[in-house]
Amino acid sequence: MVNEQEKNSIKLEYEIIKDDFSRAGEASSNIKKVLRQLGIDSKAIKKIAIVTYEAEMNIVIHSEGGKITVLISPNAVEIVARDNGPGIKNIDKAMEEGYSTASNKVRELGFGAGMGLPNIKRYSDEFHIESKIGEFTILKMKIYIQEEV
């Protein structure tokens, strides 16, 4: 059964592969391209691009792989980034700017500065994080593209 919101929305899904730096950023780039084609406001696109890129990189760097799902509706863009573990031990610490568990190899590539989750929260109008050790981390973000009625 499809609800009214899903009927008037566009759904995009991207599989994100662990440690695949050659394709890292493709999903967020494709999402940005679709939003431009839909004529979405450039300020909203910038926020969505930052949020999806950071979420995508977190899945590539810190997880066993996962998926990003984007639901574009007339009023907002909802993004769900779900990975397949290993989960975050201390979410409060992970939300601190500059805190990172990235390996030296990842840092040598220029990633893992500890700004991913703080940037995702900063640029989201709504943000929720849930993590279960050994199983998953789920980020749910919402960015409004029009004023709520």
Side-chain angles (χ1 to χ4, degrees):
M1 185 172 184
V2 177
N3 68 31
E4 195 63 31
Q5 181 187 4
E6 290 179 351
K7 196 165 45 175
N8 295 322
S9 301
I10 297 171
K11 185 176 182 180
L12 307 171
E13 284 191 320
Y14 300 91
E15 291 290 329
I16 310 299
I17 299 169
K18 172 186 178 178
D19 292 332
D20 186 358
F21 289 94
S22 67
R23 295 184 55 210
E26 275 187 17
S28 54
S29 180
N30 286 337
I31 293 163
K32 186 176 174 180
K33 184 177 174 184
V34 169
L35 295 171
R36 279 189 180 148
Q37 290 171 340
L38 292 171
I40 305 294
D41 175 68
S42 63
K43 290 179 185 173
I45 291 175
K46 179 182 174 187
K47 292 168 67 175
I48 295 161
I50 291 168
V51 166
T52 54
Y53 179 78
E54 295 285 9
E56 183 177 1
M57 293 310 296
N58 277 352
I59 292 173
V60 170
I61 294 169
H62 299 289
S63 81
E64 298 299 324
K67 182 188 291 186
I68 293 179
T69 304
V70 179
L71 194 63
I72 305 166
S73 65
N75 298 326
V77 175
E78 295 177 59
I79 303 145
V80 177
R82 186 189 199 291
D83 71 33
N84 304 318
I88 299 173
K89 290 179 184 169
N90 185 335
I91 291 176
D92 290 336
K93 193 77 176 164
M95 293 303 301
E96 292 178 9
E97 291 187 7
Y99 177 79
S100 178
T101 58
S103 68
N104 286 337
K105 177 185 168 194
V106 168
R107 289 173 194 256
E108 287 171 8
L109 293 171
F111 302 106
M115 293 304 295
L117 288 174
N119 277 339
I120 291 170
K121 184 176 182 181
R122 180 177 300 117
Y123 289 101
S124 298
D125 294 318
E126 293 179 24
F127 173 76
H128 175 77
I129 183 171
E130 179 182 352
S131 188
K132 188 167 184 180
I133 297 299
E135 294 191 27
F136 63 84
T137 297
I138 300 175
L139 306 176
K140 294 181 181 177
M141 295 76 73
K142 189 171 191 174
I143 297 166
Y144 295 103
I145 53 178
Q146 289 185 349
E147 294 294 324
E148 283 192 47
V149 181

